[in-house]
Amino acid sequence: MKLPPYSIFPIISGDKISLREIRTDDIEDLIEISFYNAIQATTFQQATEMQTKINKDYLEGNSIHWGIADNLTNKIVGTCGYYRGLNHGDGELGCVLLPQYRGKGFMTSAMLLAIDFGISTIGLKRVWAVTNKQNEKAIKLLENLKFIKIADLGDDEIEYELRQIT
């Protein structure tokens, strides 16, 4: 396994989007989707503090968090990454998208790039995700990406696992 941090922060490009490091000048656009430990930022200061914690987690080898950049504008439209379990050969894949970009294929592209990176570069044997039972769009996305529901969790959440890993 090749765990973070990497000598150069990985940038992964697809046709529509690129996964890249989040810069300070991106944070203002991401306040409404900035979360850390399930707590949402409400101010620029809180979002900046959360990003500092996320960067520290990356430097400690516990996670990798990308901004999802629209290739046409280089504007960050969401985030995705692996947040837990990397040192055990599995990774919890999480994602969030700004509301105005939902339903346009950005997240499908981002998840596919992140899944490929997790398997081919990190060497993950298991990729999993947790979502709210009422989040029908997230459930549909996970199922379209061949994730299988494996557990009902407390607090109205469900866990999915990617079963295609070979």
Side-chain angles (χ1 to χ4, degrees), residues 84-100:
R84 288 171 193 71
L86 298 181
N87 59 332
H88 300 292
D90 63 354
E92 178 186 8
L93 186 56
C95 59
V96 64
L97 202 60
L98 289 165
Q100 63 269 35

Side-chain angles (χ1 to χ4, degrees), residues 53-99:
K53 290 177 184 178
I54 290 167
N55 292 343
K56 183 177 182 277
D57 290 343
Y58 169 75
L59 292 173
E60 292 174 351
N62 299 320
S63 70
I64 184 162
H65 178 78
W66 291 279
I68 303 167
D70 181 339
N71 284 345
L72 295 176
T73 64
N74 198 33
K75 179 177 171 57
I76 297 291
V77 300
T79 63
C80 94
Y82 291 100
Y83 302 102
R84 288 171 193 71
L86 298 181
N87 59 332
H88 300 292
D90 63 354
E92 178 186 8
L93 186 56
C95 59
V96 64
L97 202 60
L98 289 165

Side-chain angles (χ1 to χ4, degrees), residues 38-52:
I39 298 169
Q40 183 175 8
T42 57
T43 66
F44 178 81
Q45 181 64 33
Q46 288 174 336
T48 300
E49 290 169 4
M50 287 178 181
Q51 188 61 46
T52 299

Side-chain angles (χ1 to χ4, degrees), residues 77-147:
V77 300
T79 63
C80 94
Y82 291 100
Y83 302 102
R84 288 171 193 71
L86 298 181
N87 59 332
H88 300 292
D90 63 354
E92 178 186 8
L93 186 56
C95 59
V96 64
L97 202 60
L98 289 165
Q100 63 269 35
Y101 296 97
R102 294 178 184 155
K104 299 179 180 179
F106 288 100
M107 193 54 74
T108 298
S109 297
M111 295 283 279
L112 287 169
L113 290 172
I115 290 166
D116 182 63
F117 183 88
I119 296 167
S120 64
T121 301
I122 298 174
L124 297 177
K125 302 298 181 212
R126 176 178 179 251
V127 176
W128 53 285
V130 174
T131 192
N132 186 285
K133 291 178 183 177
Q134 281 71 48
N135 191 340
E136 294 173 10
K137 290 186 178 188
I139 293 167
K140 182 178 178 186
L141 171 66
L142 291 169
E143 290 175 350
N144 285 343
L145 293 172
K146 308 297 186 229
F147 280 75

